Amino acid sequence: MGEELFSIDILEILRKKIGFATLITVIIFGICHFNTYDSGNILQTIIQVLLIQGAARLIFNYAYLKTKSIWTLYIIHLIFDLFFLFVIPILLNK
């Protein structure tokens, strides 16, 4: 829930000031995950977190902007994380 509150606060503040708030939140959200996905290669890690985490943030932002509900956003993020933690590894091991 902390990630959602952090990202949505930034999104809402920036939406009032500039038109490309989602793009900035995608970059911030991706960079916040840098240490988690650090492969030892800075450029590769930046590209990875911006593509993977950034794409996820686009989905999360869209869900929030459509519903204006932090709970909807939280549930979608939870489903996303659980899918990639449990379903993908099972599918890759078959």
Side-chain angles (χ1 to χ4, degrees):
M1 182 62 86
E3 282 184 3
E4 304 315 330
L5 293 170
F6 175 73
S7 296
I8 294 310
D9 282 345
I10 292 170
L11 178 67
E12 287 296 341
I13 289 167
L14 292 175
R15 276 187 36 186
K16 294 173 184 161
K17 298 183 185 283
I18 55 176
F20 49 94
T22 291
L23 177 62
I24 293 172
T25 59
V26 163
I27 293 168
I28 292 170
F29 188 75
I31 297 302
C32 286
H33 287 82
F34 184 88
N35 286 338
T36 304
Y37 295 96
D38 188 2
S39 67
N41 180 320
I42 294 173
L43 182 59
Q44 179 182 353
T45 303
I46 289 172
I47 291 169
Q48 179 180 346
V49 296
L50 290 179
L51 290 178
I52 295 171
Q53 300 307 118
R57 177 50 46 195
L58 284 174
I59 295 166
F60 302 156
N61 283 0
Y62 180 79
Y64 172 76
L65 292 171
K66 284 296 183 188
T67 65
K68 295 292 186 199
S69 168
I70 191 76
W71 289 107
T72 300
L73 174 58
Y74 178 72
I75 291 167
I76 289 172
H77 192 156
L78 182 63
I79 290 168
F80 186 87
D81 286 351
L82 291 174
F83 180 78
F84 282 97
L85 281 172
F86 297 109
V87 176
I88 295 297
I90 290 170
L91 293 174
L92 291 176
N93 285 327
K94 287 190 175 191

